[in-house]
């Protein structure tokens, strides 16, 4: 065995999605293209106890210490997979590793975006690393420098390596099939079906990429599916930003997933304009959720970031998902060029009117290497110079407005997402005659007397604890007003649905004291809380709830 190669990254969190796929893909390609090498993965997370509460430099020292502790034998090369969330730590770690005589190669989205800005590596790799990294290693360890596709440029203290051609789907090796990723160590899988995107949203790294989609071979996909079935993988996050762009392929894959892995839960990203009845029905044949990047409900704002949007068509297609019973969610971004706080609130109201299962809200990041980065000055965007490059203010969003948007986003995350409010939220808004955005503003103001809503949104708070917060807030929100008579009905509807969600999600048992009969609380009448409160008779009862053979 001639050399020891470590493909390393620092994951952002402990979650089923936190899997070092980028590093693993490079490791897999090294195994396939280099001789007599021992290739290992190293991927601690920022939530590990050793990293908590430490500065970026201290985290880098911990990273290097853990690396040497795990791999005590001589290390020849460390390949760093660099993202927005680990940029500063890995840059410092790279400097330490270089000082110890280890060859450091850095790649990933942060490097590709601005390779000359990274000082913690001997070589920086722009673009996909599966071609250039093995060639660099062969050159460094074996003196093989005849690969015509490897292009190297001097960049001061480092060298920039590029690969002269795009790898085809057939040339990309699978880190699952060759054992690089041990699925038993993770609670899920990140699964590539394609690379590239046919769209050019200016805030995305793909905005400057090829407007092509490279499909991975169906033979590989089927083998990976069979491996997921063999390993009993509970959930799979599909990495294809426009899963339904090719309808026939999407339908074929859904059929294959349902057949081979009927008990695995899938997460898809899709475009609403490509939704129709046929593909909606296909999504219902397997456990899954579909996420849509709405970003804003304002057509003019979306045009500024090179996205098209037809509100009527979007609404029509999403309603098809509701009619067929597909679980779906939306993403929204605040701080977009041309938008303002009122517009962001309108987007929240539009999105929640369509009853998504979740609504994820993000601050705009002006990522180096994107079209938005190049045009940011023209739009008057002020943003952080270092990762995560969040927008600070825009002509439409003052600094204060950006803070308000962040608070309302956190309130939505707590009350709607963590509070599992989708079964009753629309009915609640109708009964209270209030818009969701105004409701979240009031909720955040109320909670601010107890603590910080943004901290609560990021904490691992149990659903039962969030439900108590919901009920406490609604108790005060309705107290003394004309709608106070609604409170018993609202409380019982929330408790009943909350217990169902916990039993379903966790397989636990729940005991409830209710003021209404459970059959009434499970009826469609709860969709009109005013009618329910005025017409449904009280029925005090104790209810035991648990999973049965039929659910």
């Amino acid at each position: 065995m001639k050399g020891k190669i470590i493909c390393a990254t620092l994951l952002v969190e402990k979650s089923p999605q936190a899997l070092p796929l980028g590093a693993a893909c490079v490791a897999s390609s090294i195994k396939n293209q280099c001789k007599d090498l021992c290739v290992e993965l190293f991927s601690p997370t920022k939530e590990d106890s050793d990293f908590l509460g430490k500065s970026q430099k201290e985290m880098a020292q911990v990273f290097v210490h853990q690396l040497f502790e795990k791999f005590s034998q001589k290390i020849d090369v460390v390949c760093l997979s660099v993202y927005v969330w680990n940029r500063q730590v890995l840059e410092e770690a790279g400097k330490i590793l270089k000082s110890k005589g280890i060859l450091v190669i850095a790649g990933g989205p942060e490097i590709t975006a601005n390779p000359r800005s990274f000082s913690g590596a001997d070589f920086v790799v722009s673009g996909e690393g599966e071609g250039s990294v093995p060639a660099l290693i062969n050159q460094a360890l074996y003196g093989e420098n005849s690969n015509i596709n490897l292009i190297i440029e001097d960049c001061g203290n480092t060298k920039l390596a590029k690969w002269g051609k795009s790898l085809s789907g057939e040339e990309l090796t699978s880190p699952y099939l060759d054992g690089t990723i041990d699925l038993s160590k993770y609670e899920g899988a990140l699964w590539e079906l394609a690379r590239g995107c046919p769209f050019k949203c200016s805030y995305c790294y793909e905005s400057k990429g090829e407007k092509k989609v490279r499909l991975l071979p169906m033979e590989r996909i089927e083998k990976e599916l069979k491996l997921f079935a063999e390993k009993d993988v509970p959930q799979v996050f599909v990495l294809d930003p426009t899963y339904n762009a090719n309808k026939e392929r999407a339908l074929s894959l859904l059929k294959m997933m349902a057949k081979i892995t009927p008990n695995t839960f899938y997460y898809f990203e899709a475009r609403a304009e490509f939704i129709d009845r046929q593909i909606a029905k296909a999504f219902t044949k397997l456990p899954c959720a579909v996420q849509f990047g709405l970003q804003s409900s304002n057509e003019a704002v979306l045009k500024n970031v090179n996205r098209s949007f037809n509100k009527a068509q979007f609404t029509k297609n999403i309603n098809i998902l509701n009619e067929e019973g597909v679980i779906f969610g939306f993403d929204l971004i605040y701080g977009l060029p041309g938008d303002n706080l009122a517009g962001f609130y309108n987007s929240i109201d539009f999105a929640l009117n369509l009853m998504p299962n979740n609504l994820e809200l993000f601050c705009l990041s002006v990522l180096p290497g994107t079209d938005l980065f190049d045009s940011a000055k023209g739009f008057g965007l002020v943003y952080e110079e270092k990762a995560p490059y969040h927008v600070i203010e825009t002509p439409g969003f003052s600094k204060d407005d950006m803070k308000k948007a962040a608070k309302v986003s956190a309130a939505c995350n707590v009350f709607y997402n963590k509070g599992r409010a989708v079964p009753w939220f629309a009915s609640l808004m109708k009964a209270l005659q209030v818009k969701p955005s105004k409701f979240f503003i009031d909720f955040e103001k109320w909670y601010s007397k107890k603590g910080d809503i943004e901290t609560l949104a990021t904490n691992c708070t149990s659903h039962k604890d969030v439900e108590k917060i919901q009920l406490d807030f609604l108790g005060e929100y309705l107290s003394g007003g004309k709608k106070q008579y609604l409170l018993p009905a609202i409380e019982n509807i929330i408790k009943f649905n909350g217990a169902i969600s916990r039993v379903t999600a966790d397989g636990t048992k729940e005991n409830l004291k209710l003021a209404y009969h459970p059959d009434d609380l499970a009826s469609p009448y709860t969709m009109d809380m005013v009618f329910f409160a005025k017409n449904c008779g009280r029925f005090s009862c104790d209810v035991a709830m648990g999973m049965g053979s039929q659910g």
Side-chain angles (χ1 to χ4, degrees), residues 305-323:
V305 290
N306 203 27
R307 283 182 69 92
S308 59
F309 180 64
N310 183 314
K311 186 177 287 189
Q313 188 65 45
F314 186 94
T315 301
K316 177 184 174 182
N317 292 358
I318 294 301
N319 283 337
I320 292 173
L321 297 179
N322 274 321
E323 290 164 9

Side-chain angles (χ1 to χ4, degrees), residues 279-293:
I279 201 161
K281 286 181 181 293
F283 278 128
T284 67
K285 303 303 180 184
L286 76 164
C288 72
V290 188
Q291 197 75 8
F292 297 92

